[in-house]
């Protein structure tokens, strides 16, 4: 990531902001911070004199994408972290428009989770050269044995508040989201603790009934991972987890928009009820992201990738994460689902920032926020990426 050019102006752009889209808009950046958002004609002279100016030529300027559910890429997995591996994952996803992300684990033995937290904590304390790790998402090990998906059932354990409390004391604020089955014994105690700490309490890999989800919601459940996947489905007499989430405005929902995990009509249904900040685009990308077909690992389970479809080797078509990137998911939401550029941008940037409480720093194009920016042309192809005003260079 180039350190030069942290002060620059973008002009003649379609700038997507919470106040609407500025036609022939401009963004001024000084020392990695946004100092002006408005029209090109209104750009103050003080912002323009002697500053590098980039003509967007009508392309979109969007806030950088924030992926709260991503496992890896380029043969690397967050479950087996190293500095080299974390660099490889964050570089790949930065090249595809992700500027912030949560290092997402699998259902693992406690010792392996201990190691992930230690490595990510150390990495975040240093100079992160690509997409910024802003915390950890624990997907498991407190999930349902009936809905393991691509998680190893050998490592599933009941919800354990003591583990989370110990990790939070050792690494305050590092864990941003925990995914678990809210119907299991001990889940309500866990939810109360998570919400008291400001940690997202997310339903996932769950056998919960509608009533069990609603009971968990009453004590603080506020999110759902990879909607429609690894959960009890919607039925008109047994609404299940899916029905509870769809009908409860206070529970936000992630979606893997790759055309494999969820039909576009189901995403349209989800988007119609998850208004405001309640719809989040994620990748659920695994170590095969950025590569082609072949044999890979997700956590400690073997995965086969064929035609961009990831399945467990020893299962009958069980999906095992994805090779999706955020820019591809963004395009899918616009082209196949029919969301507006503005709505898709919210799902990919503003909404995840709000969920994990980093919206005071990033997630939208506003003065005072760090310059996490994307230049995307009218065909929705990614042209340039800036993280804190630093331009991403693929050859670094």
């Amino acid at each position: 990531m180039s350190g030069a050019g942290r002060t620059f102006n973008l002009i003649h752009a379609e700038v997507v902001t919470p106040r609407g889209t500025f036609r022939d808009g401009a963004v001024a950046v000084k020392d990695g911070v946004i100092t002006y958002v408005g029209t090109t004609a209104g750009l103050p002279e003080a912002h323009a004199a002697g500053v590098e100016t980039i003509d967007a030529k009508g392309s979109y300027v969007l806030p950088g994408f924030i992926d709260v559910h991503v496992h890896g890429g380029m043969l690397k997995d967050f479950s087996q972290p190293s500095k080299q591996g974390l660099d490889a994952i964050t570089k790949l996803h930065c090249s595809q428009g992700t500027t912030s992300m949560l290092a997402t684990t699998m259902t693992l033995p406690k010792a392996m989770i201990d190691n992930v937290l230690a490595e990510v904590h150390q990495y975040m304390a240093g100079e992160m050269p690509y997409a910024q790790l802003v915390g950890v998402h624990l997907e498991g090990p407190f999930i349902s044995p009936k809905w393991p998906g691509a998680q190893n059932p050998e490592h599933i354990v009941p919800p354990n508040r003591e583990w989370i409390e110990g990790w939070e004391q050792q690494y305050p604020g590092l864990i941003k989201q925990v995914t678990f089955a809210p119907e299991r014994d001990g889940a309500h105690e866990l939810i109360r603790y998570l919400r008291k700490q400001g940690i997202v309490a997310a339903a996932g890999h769950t056998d919960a009934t509608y009533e069990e989800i609603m009971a968990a919601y009453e004590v603080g459940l506020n999110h759902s991972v990879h909607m429609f996947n690894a959960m009890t489905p919607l039925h008109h007499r047994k609404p299940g987890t899916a029905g509870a989430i769809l009908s409860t405005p206070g529970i936000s929902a992630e979606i893997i928009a790759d055309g494999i995990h969820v039909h576009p009509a189901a995403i349209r249904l989800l988007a119609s009820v998850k208004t405001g900040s309640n719809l989040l685009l994620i990748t659920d990308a695994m170590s095969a992201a950025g590569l082609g077909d072949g044999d890979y690992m997700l956590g400690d389970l073997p995965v086969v990738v064929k035609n961009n479809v990831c399945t467990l080797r020893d299962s009958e078509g069980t999906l095992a994460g994805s090779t999706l990137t955020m820019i591809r998911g963004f395009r899918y939401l616009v082209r196949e689902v029919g969301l507006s550029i503005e709505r898709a941008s919210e799902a990919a940037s503003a909404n995840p920032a709000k969920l994990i409480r980093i919206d005071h720093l990033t997630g939208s194009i506003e003065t005072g926020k760090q310059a996490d920016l994307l230049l995307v042309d009218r065909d929705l192809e990614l042209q340039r990426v800036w993280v804190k005003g630093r331009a991403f260079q693929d050859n670094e």
Side-chain angles (χ1 to χ4, degrees):
M1 188 82 69
S2 173
R6 285 167 55 87
T7 296
F8 59 92
N9 294 331
L10 281 162
I11 62 172
H12 302 311
E14 300 282 295
V15 183
V16 177
T17 83
R19 294 183 288 153
T21 298
F22 284 92
R23 312 298 176 187
D24 193 25
V27 179
V29 175
K30 182 177 182 181
D31 297 329
V33 175
I34 298 170
T35 57
Y36 171 82
V37 182
T39 64
T40 298
L43 182 66
E45 181 64 28
H47 287 73
V51 174
E52 177 191 11
T53 298
I54 301 166
D55 189 342
K57 299 179 180 179
S59 291
Y60 296 103
V61 175
L62 305 175
F65 299 142
I66 300 171
D67 194 352
V68 301
H69 192 153
V70 51
H71 295 281
M74 298 303 291
L75 287 179
K76 304 299 182 181
D77 191 312
F78 281 127
S79 294
Q80 298 174 318
S82 65
K83 185 181 185 307
Q84 181 186 28
L86 297 178
D87 278 346
I89 296 169
T90 55
K91 181 177 181 179
L92 166 69
H93 290 285
C94 189
S95 75
Q96 302 301 303
T98 298
T99 55
S100 299
M101 57 201 303
L102 293 184
T104 306
T105 66
M106 302 289 295
T107 292
L108 302 168
K110 183 177 183 297
M112 290 187 69
I113 299 175
D114 289 339
N115 183 58
V116 172
L117 294 172
E119 291 289 336
V120 172
H121 179 261
Q122 182 177 0
Y123 187 78
M124 288 174 59
E127 179 68 24
M128 294 182 283
Y130 307 113
Q132 305 293 287
L133 293 186
V134 293
V136 172
H137 168 191
L138 299 181
E139 188 183 13
F142 315 133
I143 62 173
S144 170
K146 297 180 181 179
W147 294 85
Q151 311 267 358
N152 191 334
E154 293 181 7
H155 307 315
I156 294 174
V157 296
N160 191 316
R161 170 183 166 166
E162 287 73 23
W163 287 12
I164 300 294
E165 192 168 357
W167 288 325
E168 179 68 10
Q169 289 173 355
Q170 189 170 6
Y171 308 109
L174 180 62
I175 298 173
K176 300 293 188 185
Q177 178 171 321
V178 179
T179 293
F180 56 94
E183 73 278 9
R184 303 200 72 194
D185 289 345
H188 286 201
E189 181 184 1
L190 177 63
I191 293 168
R192 291 187 183 98
Y193 177 76
L194 293 174
R195 300 306 298 136
K196 184 178 179 181
Q197 301 302 314
I199 299 171
V200 176
H205 295 271
T206 171
D207 195 49
T209 63
Y210 172 89
E211 291 77 15
E212 287 169 329
I213 291 293
M214 297 312 298
Y217 172 65
E218 289 299 319
V219 297
L221 184 78
N222 68 318
H223 188 58
S224 170
V225 302
H226 46 51
M227 185 64 187
F228 301 112
N229 291 278
M231 63 177 60
T232 50
L234 173 67
H235 184 278
H236 60 285
R237 286 191 294 272
K238 296 175 67 176
T241 296
I245 294 163
L246 286 168
S247 61
T248 306
I251 302 177
S252 53
E254 303 170 357
I255 195 70
I256 308 170
D258 62 354
I260 298 166
H261 283 78
V262 184
H263 192 283
I267 302 179
R268 280 192 286 274
L269 171 62
L270 181 66
S272 72
V273 296
K274 292 302 175 187
T275 56
S277 59
N278 281 338
L279 179 69
L280 285 79
L281 173 66
I282 61 161
T283 64
D284 201 10
M286 56 162 291
S287 62
L291 303 168
D293 290 354
D295 296 320
Y296 299 92
M297 297 293 293
L298 178 58
D300 57 358
L301 296 179
V303 172
V304 176
V305 178
K306 185 175 181 180
N307 298 325
N308 284 327
V309 179
C310 310
T311 56
L312 289 181
R313 171 173 289 283
D314 301 319
S315 73
E316 297 182 0
T318 298
L319 291 174
S322 80
T323 61
L324 187 65
T325 62
M326 287 293 279
I327 186 62
R328 283 171 44 209
F330 177 84
R331 280 198 294 267
Y332 191 89
L333 288 179
V334 175
R335 293 176 178 174
E336 305 301 327
V337 178
L339 299 189
S340 66
I341 296 290
E342 292 80 4
R343 184 83 194 282
S345 176
E346 288 178 349
S349 302
N351 295 351
K354 291 175 184 175
L355 179 74
I356 61 173
R357 302 187 180 190
I358 61 170
D359 52 313
H360 60 294
L361 298 173
T362 188
S364 59
I365 302 177
E366 298 178 86
T367 58
K369 293 192 176 183
Q370 59 196 38
D372 297 336
L373 303 171
L374 308 178
L375 190 64
V376 177
D377 69 19
R378 306 296 288 189
D379 293 323
L380 305 186
E381 296 294 331
L382 186 63
Q383 296 177 303
R384 298 187 70 172
V385 179
W386 292 268
V387 180
K388 296 181 178 178
R390 297 176 297 173
F392 173 81
Q393 305 289 343
D394 196 38
N395 58 359
E396 290 184 353

